[in-house]
Amino acid sequence: MLEAKLAEASILKKLLDAIKELVNDANFECNEEGINLQAMDNSHVALVAVKLQQTGFRKYRCDRPMPLGVNIASLTKVLKCAKDDDLCTLKAADEADVLNLVYEAKNSDRIAEYDLKLMDIDSDQLAIPDTEYDAYIKFPANEFSRIVRDLASLGESVRIDVSKEGVRFASDGEAANGSVLLKGQGPITGVTNRPKSSEEEDEDAEGSGVKKEDAAGAKEKPKVEEISEDDEEDEKPKVKKEKKTKVKKEKADGDVDMDGEDDEKEYEDEGEEEVDNEDSDEEGDGKKRKKKESSSGKSPKKPRTVNGQAKGKGKGKSKEDDGEDSEILIQMNSHVSLTFSLKYLVNFSKSASLTNKVELYMSNDVPLLVSYDFGPGYIRYYLAPKIGDD
Amino acid sequence: MLEAKLAEASILKKLLDAIKELVNDANFECNEEGINLQAMDNSHVALVAVKLQQTGFRKYRCDRPMPLGVNIASLTKVLKCAKDDDLCTLKAADEADVLNLVYEAKNSDRIAEYDLKLMDIDSDQLAIPDTEYDAYIKFPANEFSRIVRDLASLGESVRIDVSKEGVRFASDGEAANGSVLLKGQGPITGVTNRPKSSEEEDEDAEGSGVKKEDAAGAKEKPKVEEISEDDEEDEKPKVKKEKKTKVKKEKADGDVDMDGEDDEKEYEDEGEEEVDNEDSDEEGDGKKRKKKESSSGKSPKKPRTVNGQAKGKGKGKSKEDDGEDSEILIQMNSHVSLTFSLKYLVNFSKSASLTNKVELYMSNDVPLLVSYDFGPGYIRYYLAPKIGDD
DNA sequence: CATACGGACT
DNA sequence: AGTCCGTATG
């Protein structure tokens, strides 16, 4: 049986808001690691993958793997009956045909309980190719929302170019053409980030040995996702580190002070690694920053980077993230230029309500990965590029 | 070519919001003085005239007069892509068929650029008759918004009466009749205000200290007649300070001719003083005046008229400006009673987002002038009165 | 016909 | 800033 207690019903509410337009029905695949959902959008153009890690729950128990087929619209309705800060417990008996949701007000003077009917859904889980990405951008989620919404008002599609200049989003429309350039802070370095698999997340979080299958290898080889069926393509998506280095690099991006405002919060040299992740810190050209980054760049054993901490269980610092909110981190191995349908990107950008950062992973001719990591898990979208130049 | 940098994109956004429902397409007439737009509303009942003075820009360059025909809806779309506090630069090459808009985030980590397609628009600029107004009211813009919205919910039109009693806005409706009386602070004096031309505005801005108070004794009787060019010589139309009246009057700035009559009155600026600023573009081109006044113009802030300070009302309202916000200044030469369509007034009142004061200029049987002066320019609406008492 | 997005008003 | 209404899209 399943019993999973989430500290905030709002997390589920936002999650459902984020996918309800994309997906009609989907299986919540529950196992001891947590809950996964994977589905193609209605037109089979985009893929959405959600993970709620076991560690993200206040309490989590799942004796055996079980797929819970739910109608997303129905679940959305039921979730609307929860207050944002209610404790939310999902329960399902083995072989149950209903999912039981219990909402407890924080002060526990109110308990609401709903039973959502389940359905059998063919889980045609699509395999997510394990990809090496040539470009990685992490920036404020609302910035992304803004850009795609703005451009969507002009045209149908957007071309995203990642170059040394930065990231450019450009769209041509009837009445006007538009382009937005994000410059990023600091030098553009090679890609050192990659989507972490759920196991990695777990490990990052607590290093618990709970992981299953490829536990061991997981960290080393970045696998994108656990695909069910045919993930025989074993090339792990480790990012290409080949051309990683960019010429100019001096300070880590954390040091940059865009606004010119004096940051009194100077980086404490220890404790907090704020941003790192750039493998190439070797420069040490006497910039004011102290080296915090000691890892050897080439093979990030554990690409720990702030990312990890931020999202990970080490919740300790969720707030500090804000300090990072306005940062734009761009990593690139080679020039990438892809065109996507704005309609989908606008849809994806709804997930901004879950977290304040979004990560884009791109390589030419490969689906774009848009990833939002939030406290208890992540939601990732894959969208194939348009071909030709329509 | 044109290159005009505005410190806040929000100014343009608000301006467009203010006119987009009234106008579909319009020419932005750019010349070395600044940018003018003049258009009839879609039903040819109201006229809107906008001026953005060259001094209102962070940077301004316009080598030769050029009309930029834009579709207001398209420009509105493009402007929505700007953040309110973005620096906004308008650029157009000579004979260009696109208007280029560049938005720079204050911290410059984001640069967005849009090209808006231009169109050829027949500029049937209507002449705005030079009018002597018998009544002038300056009061909080949101007060005006409130009054017209309230009355619009009752009836179709409003009768505005200016008498010694104050200004009364009255509307009769099916279910109820309503009337709002504004009393104004201080005694009601003769009209000393008139719509100022942009040059005058400039002067006010800087010469403010310079004004001599009620220069002439004419104060009591605003004469409407002297339209001379001499306006600049003495003080700018300063309004009376304290209760005293100032009288200044000269020509109104534009000549509108709602009816289509054209009386072009040319105001040549006499060599020294500038006063012109007619919206009438046709001639506008011909008269290119150079700004002589530029000197102290560096702070083109809102030309605060003396009024503000003068009135010592004990308003202790909130912000500093508010001190003036609640002031109601009424000047009148003779009783004025006019009826207008509320629908239009409600529309005009949207400009309240641009500034916190509105000025009404009225004379019997003549179009009402509703003027909003904001930092870099002004927006004025002319609306013919209803006749009979429908 | 229903859903979602954008704009307006309080 | 939030809510509601209207418009547009699927």
Side-chain angles (χ1 to χ4, degrees):
Chain A
M1 64 97 79
L2 167 74
E3 179 168 340
K5 178 180 290 190
L6 218 37
E8 302 277 338
S10 61
I11 293 168
L12 265 187
K13 296 175 73 169
K14 291 173 185 170
L15 203 43
L16 271 286
D17 279 343
I19 65 173
K20 71 175 181 221
E21 278 180 59
L22 236 35
V23 181
N24 291 333
D25 303 300
N27 277 321
F28 280 71
E29 304 279 355
C30 307
N31 58 41
E32 61 182 16
E33 290 173 28
I35 301 176
N36 284 294
L37 177 154
Q38 190 180 108
M40 295 293 289
D41 79 294
N42 301 326
S43 52
H44 282 242
V45 172
L47 185 149
V48 57
V50 175
K51 167 120 198 180
L52 288 172
Q53 303 154 221
Q54 157 262 314
T55 53
F57 292 92
R58 179 76 71 92
K59 199 183 295 180
Y60 189 87
R61 174 188 166 192
C62 183
D63 305 326
R64 71 188 66 186
M66 51 200 294
L68 305 177
V70 313
N71 172 274
I72 301 298
S74 299
L75 177 54
T76 300
K77 273 186 188 170
V78 170
L79 283 170
K80 284 196 191 308
C81 302
K83 290 183 62 180
D84 282 357
D85 62 344
D86 281 349
L87 286 168
C88 173
T89 306
L90 307 178
K91 294 180 196 170
D94 293 332
E95 312 301 325
D97 60 352
V98 298
L99 172 62
N100 177 251
L101 293 97
V102 178
Y103 308 140
E104 295 172 75
K106 279 286 197 289
N107 56 15
S108 69
D109 58 3
R110 171 177 161 280
I111 294 182
E113 188 170 348
Y114 296 82
D115 283 319
L116 177 71
K117 292 184 179 57
L118 296 178
M119 55 201 295
D120 284 321
I121 298 175
D122 295 333
S123 57
D124 48 332
Q125 299 291 85
L126 281 245
I128 297 174
D130 204 5
T131 305
E132 300 178 6
Y133 293 99
D134 285 320
Y136 167 80
I137 305 102
K138 181 173 184 174
F139 63 111
N142 52 21
E143 186 75 52
F144 181 60
S145 299
R146 179 70 196 250
I147 291 169
V148 296
R149 264 191 292 110
D150 283 353
L151 296 181
S153 72
L154 301 179
E156 304 261 295
S157 54
V158 60
R159 190 182 67 252
I160 304 180
D161 280 281
V162 185
S163 66
K164 290 201 188 71
E165 185 188 33
V167 188
R168 181 179 297 279
F169 299 79
S171 179
D172 291 344
E174 298 278 296
N177 299 333
S179 106
V180 179
L181 173 66
L182 292 183
K183 285 183 171 170
Q185 270 89 49
I188 293 177
T189 67
V191 177
T192 58
N193 279 284
R194 59 182 174 67
K196 285 186 281 192
S197 66
S198 52
E199 288 72 24
E200 295 175 297
E201 295 275 351
D202 283 348
E203 226 176 58
D204 283 353
E206 41 189 306
S208 63
V210 183
K211 308 138 195 312
K212 57 185 184 182
E213 317 70 315
D214 27 3
K219 304 175 73 91
E220 304 302 314
K221 335 175 200 186
K223 69 194 296 181
V224 175
E225 186 53 315
E226 311 195 53
I227 308 137
S228 26
E229 293 78 51
D230 56 324
D231 48 332
E232 58 274 50
E233 46 216 334
D234 56 12
E235 52 176 315
K236 272 27 187 166
K238 48 197 54 180
V239 183
K240 307 176 179 180
K241 345 179 135 162
E242 298 92 65
K243 27 185 56 216
K244 60 178 9 201
T245 309
K246 244 54 222 208
V247 179
K248 54 189 184 166
K249 72 185 340 358
E250 38 244 39
K251 40 201 200 169
D253 73 322
D255 282 314
V256 179
D257 181 3
M258 306 284 289
D259 311 324
E261 47 180 304
D262 30 23
D263 34 74
E264 14 185 49
K265 58 160 184 187
E266 267 303 338
Y267 307 87
E268 287 98 327
D269 15 350
E270 226 353 74
E272 243 16 25
E273 304 303 26
E274 246 174 312
V275 169
D276 57 351
N277 212 6
E278 334 240 310
D279 299 321
S280 37
D281 256 353
E282 54 266 21
E283 76 310 52
D285 48 351
K287 286 313 187 180
K288 55 191 178 173
R289 95 159 325 21
K290 320 72 165 16
K291 269 187 149 203
K292 39 189 72 173
E293 167 79 79
S294 59
S295 66
S296 60
K298 274 14 182 165
S299 20
K301 170 101 173 170
K302 182 179 244 220
R304 198 53 103 226
T305 89
V306 199
N307 297 332
Q309 298 185 330
K311 60 181 85 184
K313 269 57 242 355
K315 318 203 157 254
K317 66 186 301 185
S318 33
K319 241 54 258 190
E320 281 87 82
D321 276 348
D322 294 344
E324 195 182 17
D325 276 356
S326 58
E327 281 182 44
I328 298 171
L329 173 61
I330 299 172
Q331 295 180 338
M332 173 190 80
N333 293 328
S334 58
H335 179 271
V336 172
S337 181
L338 293 163
T339 298
F340 302 98
S341 162
L342 278 164
K343 167 186 159 191
Y344 288 96
L345 298 184
V346 167
N347 223 312
F348 300 168
S349 73
K350 289 183 181 177
S351 293
S353 62
L354 284 159
T355 180
N356 51 27
K357 282 285 186 173
V358 62
E359 294 163 284
L360 306 183
Y361 294 86
M362 290 177 282
S363 279
N364 289 318
D365 306 315
V366 162
L368 160 72
L369 164 53
V370 181
S371 177
Y372 291 87
D373 282 13
F374 53 95
Y378 61 73
I379 179 167
R380 291 177 184 165
Y381 301 92
Y382 295 84
L383 179 64
K386 284 190 174 185
I387 40 201
D389 47 11
D390 38 356
Chain B
M1 62 95 80
L2 167 75
E3 180 167 342
K5 178 179 290 192
L6 219 36
E8 301 278 337
S10 61
I11 293 168
L12 265 186
K13 295 175 74 168
K14 290 173 185 169
L15 203 44
L16 271 286
D17 278 345
I19 65 173
K20 70 174 181 221
E21 281 180 53
L22 236 35
V23 181
N24 290 334
D25 302 299
N27 278 320
F28 279 72
E29 302 281 353
C30 308
N31 58 42
E32 62 182 17
E33 288 174 29
I35 301 176
N36 284 295
L37 177 154
Q38 190 181 110
M40 296 294 288
D41 80 294
N42 301 325
S43 52
H44 282 243
V45 172
L47 184 149
V48 56
V50 174
K51 168 122 196 179
L52 289 172
Q53 303 154 223
Q54 158 262 315
T55 52
F57 292 90
R58 179 77 70 94
K59 199 185 292 181
Y60 189 86
R61 174 189 168 190
C62 184
D63 305 325
R64 70 187 68 185
M66 50 201 295
L68 303 177
V70 312
N71 172 273
I72 301 297
S74 297
L75 178 54
T76 299
K77 262 190 192 175
V78 170
L79 283 171
K80 282 194 190 312
C81 300
K83 291 181 66 175
D84 281 358
D85 61 343
D86 281 349
L87 286 170
C88 174
T89 306
L90 306 178
K91 295 181 197 169
D94 293 331
E95 312 300 323
D97 59 352
V98 297
L99 171 62
N100 178 249
L101 294 98
V102 178
Y103 309 139
E104 293 171 78
K106 283 286 198 289
N107 58 15
S108 71
D109 59 3
R110 171 175 166 280
I111 295 181
E113 188 169 349
Y114 295 82
D115 284 319
L116 177 71
K117 293 183 178 60
L118 295 177
M119 55 201 295
D120 284 323
I121 297 175
D122 294 333
S123 56
D124 46 334
Q125 299 291 86
L126 282 246
I128 297 175
D130 202 4
T131 305
E132 300 175 10
Y133 292 100
D134 287 322
Y136 166 79
I137 305 102
K138 181 172 184 175
F139 64 112
N142 53 21
E143 188 74 50
F144 180 59
S145 300
R146 181 65 195 254
I147 291 169
V148 296
R149 265 191 288 112
D150 285 351
L151 296 181
S153 69
L154 301 180
E156 303 263 296
S157 55
V158 60
R159 190 183 67 255
I160 304 180
D161 280 282
V162 186
S163 66
K164 291 202 187 69
E165 184 190 30
V167 187
R168 180 178 298 279
F169 298 80
S171 177
D172 292 345
E174 298 280 296
N177 299 334
S179 131
V180 178
L181 174 66
L182 292 183
K183 286 184 167 169
Q185 270 87 50
I188 292 178
T189 67
V191 177
T192 59
N193 281 282
R194 60 179 171 68
K196 285 183 282 192
S197 66
S198 52
E199 287 72 22
E200 294 174 296
E201 295 275 352
D202 284 349
E203 238 174 57
D204 280 356
E206 41 198 280
S208 58
V210 185
K211 311 144 176 346
K212 50 276 273 67
E213 314 310 317
D214 27 311
K219 53 263 310 13
E220 299 306 311
K221 178 150 287 185
K223 95 159 26 71
V224 181
E225 219 21 359
E226 15 194 1
I227 306 175
S228 53
E229 339 288 79
D230 47 327
D231 36 51
E232 74 294 337
E233 69 268 290
D234 43 348
E235 330 38 300
K236 273 45 243 178
K238 52 199 52 192
V239 184
K240 82 273 275 34
K241 48 209 355 349
E242 288 298 330
K243 308 26 220 0
K244 5 230 80 170
T245 313
K246 237 81 189 217
V247 172
K248 181 105 221 183
K249 101 169 318 34
E250 4 222 82
K251 73 190 205 154
D253 89 323
D255 13 273
V256 177
D257 171 5
M258 308 280 289
D259 311 327
E261 46 181 298
D262 309 293
D263 47 31
E264 298 284 328
K265 9 194 62 185
E266 280 285 337
Y267 289 99
E268 284 308 331
D269 11 80
E270 319 307 354
E272 273 315 343
E273 301 317 336
E274 35 231 289
V275 169
D276 64 345
N277 133 36
E278 292 328 333
D279 300 311
S280 39
D281 302 81
E282 51 269 49
E283 56 220 310
D285 298 338
K287 36 169 106 183
K288 260 352 16 45
R289 65 159 34 324
K290 4 5 217 79
K291 276 317 188 94
K292 35 198 75 181
E293 196 54 354
S294 62
S295 66
S296 57
K298 40 198 51 62
S299 45
K301 63 215 344 357
K302 182 182 198 104
R304 215 97 186 89
T305 65
V306 199
N307 292 333
Q309 287 85 334
K311 254 28 182 63
K313 59 312 260 14
K315 256 52 194 207
K317 251 336 187 359
S318 30
K319 304 87 178 347
E320 58 277 21
D321 265 348
D322 291 347
E324 189 183 20
D325 278 353
S326 55
E327 278 184 41
I328 297 172
L329 173 62
I330 300 173
Q331 295 180 341
M332 173 191 81
N333 293 329
S334 58
H335 179 272
V336 171
S337 181
L338 293 163
T339 299
F340 302 98
S341 162
L342 278 164
K343 167 185 160 194
Y344 288 95
L345 298 184
V346 167
N347 221 312
F348 299 167
S349 73
K350 289 183 181 175
S351 294
S353 61
L354 284 159
T355 179
N356 50 27
K357 283 285 187 176
V358 62
E359 294 164 285
L360 306 184
Y361 294 86
M362 291 176 283
S363 279
N364 288 319
D365 304 317
V366 162
L368 160 71
L369 164 53
V370 180
S371 177
Y372 291 88
D373 281 14
F374 53 94
Y378 61 73
I379 179 166
R380 292 178 183 165
Y381 300 93
Y382 295 85
L383 179 65
K386 285 189 175 186
I387 40 202
D389 48 9
D390 40 351

